[in-house]
Amino acid sequence: MTTTLLDNIGQLVTCDPSVGDGSPLGLLGDAAIVVAEGRVVWLGPVRSAPAADVHVDLGGRTVVPGFVDSHAHLVFAGDRAGEFAARMSGAAYTAGGIASTVRDTRAASDDELEAGAARLVREMLASGTTTVEIKSGYGLTVLDEARSLAVASRLTPETTYLGAHVVPAEYATDRDAYVRLVASDMLDACAPYARWVDVFCDRGAFDADEARTVIAAGTARGLLPRLHGNQLEAGPGVRLAVELGAASVDHCTHLVDADVDALAGSSTVATLLPGAEFSTRAAYPDARRLIDAGVTVAIATDCNPGSSYTSNLPFCLAVAVRDMRMTPAEALWAATAGGAAALLRDDIGVLRPGARADLAVIDAPSYVHLAYRPGVPLVCATWKDGVRA
Ligand code: NIG
Ligand code: FE
């Protein structure tokens, strides 16, 4: 067993409140970490660090848990730069744009889809993201959804079946038949590659009854539920997610009091996706209201070619601080431990003995610089499973 000592860490963010300053970020100054066989085996003050086989001096930089991007749509072909430019000239974002990515995705080979998704995963790693959830949802046939998930499963264990993204054009006059397909043959083909089942429950996509049908079928096959809800309007998605015991409900842009109350009384995480509001020029979700009500909040990129074509979680964190009034500490927690909670994982998003040795080295004296220096590539090294990526 080779042990590696990461030494001379100026500020270590553990997200373990039982260490360091006792805050949710569990901050330690002048710290060191020892990793072995993909796991953290020790962390603490530099002066008490044990000897190790390999020694890496981090030069007083900051170390944070690897970012956990719990919401991304990486399996697709083509892009929608024209749609983005039109939107920046005043056109509205609608779920309808998804259809053009569906056309391109169906026409692409498996190798093309995998190369595109792998490129985005590499971008994510370079910006400190060590875990990413990847959804299907641009195939919308049995074959194209299954091959999308097969691609996703080669890149991450956190794979999500999103056959219920929108009703494809060929089912426009018989949406019930499409919902039946999603809940039967398509699910059968996709379930072997998926951990999660998701539905886009919103205007222009699926209503609450349709979402219920798909989630019930998915959970009967052993998949775990999560939902897209309340992105485009204050619909039923958030409360449905809580009712169904979903691990997370994502977007949460338009909320009424009953949505906040439901989330506050539940273990469902509210995953906020500031890249989507940024790229669709929409009003941001009310993060303060959620946090002040006691809701667990995560931040993710929503990386997709339509509403949020960024793979950069530090950018989303900076937007959340600047425009959603989250503190730098809350935003960092949401992009690490919050993302882990949204994926029901306790081995990531945190640095403590036994956790995965997934971390990002920030070339700055404190984590606050992630928001203070927006757009600057401060992540100078990413370690995944104890190995520098
Ligand atoms: O999360 N909301 C639904 N799906 C994506 C958008 C997909 C697209 O526009 O291509 C989202 O924002
Ligand atoms: Fe999404």
Side-chain angles (χ1 to χ4, degrees):
M1 178 175 86
T2 304
T3 54
T4 303
L5 170 65
L6 305 180
D7 199 6
N8 195 10
I9 299 168
Q11 183 180 63
L12 174 62
V13 177
T14 65
C15 291
D16 177 355
S18 72
V19 304
D21 69 344
S23 74
L25 289 186
L27 293 177
L28 276 169
D30 296 322
I33 304 182
V34 179
V35 303
E37 296 188 324
R39 302 272 171 176
V40 175
V41 294
W42 180 90
L43 61 78
V46 164
R47 62 179 179 281
S48 352
D53 303 318
V54 180
H55 179 223
V56 180
D57 186 336
L58 292 181
R61 295 182 177 85
T62 296
V63 167
V64 303
F67 298 116
V68 179
D69 192 344
S70 60
H71 184 137
H73 308 246
L74 305 189
V75 187
F76 62 85
D79 71 36
R80 283 153 51 198
E83 181 188 311
F84 174 78
R87 214 159 50 230
M88 294 304 109
S89 305
Y93 175 76
T94 69
I98 293 170
S100 85
T101 300
V102 170
R103 276 191 297 278
D104 291 343
T105 302
R106 288 176 179 175
S109 69
D110 292 6
D111 286 349
E112 288 165 339
L113 293 179
E114 185 157 347
R119 178 180 64 87
L120 293 167
V121 170
R122 281 196 301 277
E123 287 181 7
M124 288 179 166
L125 262 179
S127 58
T129 296
T130 47
T131 301
V132 57
E133 179 260 19
I134 305 180
K135 304 173 192 297
S136 68
Y138 291 115
L140 310 186
T141 65
V142 173
L143 179 71
D144 292 306
E145 284 296 296
R147 69 193 186 97
S148 297
L149 276 161
V151 165
S153 69
R154 291 195 281 275
L155 298 168
T156 184
E158 300 297 342
T159 51
T160 300
Y161 170 47
L162 183 60
H165 198 185
V166 288
V167 175
E170 62 275 20
Y171 281 91
T173 58
D174 192 0
R175 54 186 297 125
D176 288 353
Y178 185 66
V179 172
R180 280 197 301 277
L181 178 70
V182 171
S184 58
D185 294 358
M186 193 185 282
L187 172 63
D188 290 341
C190 291
Y193 303 109
R195 177 166 190 238
W196 301 94
V197 56
D198 190 354
V199 177
F200 183 15
C201 181
D202 219 315
R203 182 177 68 222
F206 295 89
D207 68 21
D209 287 341
E210 294 166 337
R212 223 183 273 280
T213 299
V214 171
I215 296 290
T219 53
R221 286 292 306 255
L223 305 186
L224 299 167
R226 51 201 313 106
L227 277 185
H228 281 71
N230 302 46
Q231 175 186 12
L232 304 176
E233 64 183 17
V238 166
R239 272 165 285 164
L240 181 64
V242 171
E243 176 198 318
L244 297 172
S248 178
V249 59
D250 299 24
H251 286 287
C252 300
T253 311
H254 299 274
L255 299 177
V256 297
D257 289 349
D259 297 320
V260 179
D261 292 347
L263 285 166
S266 79
S267 58
T268 300
V269 173
T271 298
L272 310 182
L273 307 166
E277 281 77 34
F278 182 92
S279 300
T280 61
R281 201 173 269 152
Y284 289 98
D286 193 344
R288 280 262 56 86
R289 183 179 177 197
L290 290 165
I291 292 171
D292 293 346
V295 176
T296 301
V297 167
I299 296 173
T301 62
D302 195 17
C303 183
N304 76 79
S307 64
S308 182
Y309 200 5
T310 180
S311 56
N312 192 298
L313 201 41
F315 164 75
C316 297
L317 181 156
V319 173
V321 170
R322 165 64 178 77
D323 288 328
M324 290 158 52
R325 299 179 185 280
M326 293 176 76
T327 66
E330 287 167 342
L332 177 56
W333 191 92
T336 52
L343 295 173
L344 301 177
R345 295 275 300 269
D346 59 10
D347 59 333
I348 56 174
V350 62
L351 293 170
R352 65 168 159 241
R356 303 203 78 83
D358 291 356
L359 54 90
V361 182
I362 314 298
D363 193 7
S366 89
Y367 73 85
V368 175
H369 286 236
L370 287 166
Y372 173 48
R373 306 202 62 214
V376 179
L378 294 179
V379 175
C380 58
T382 304
W383 292 63
K384 182 164 169 56
D385 296 327
V387 176
R388 187 170 171 171

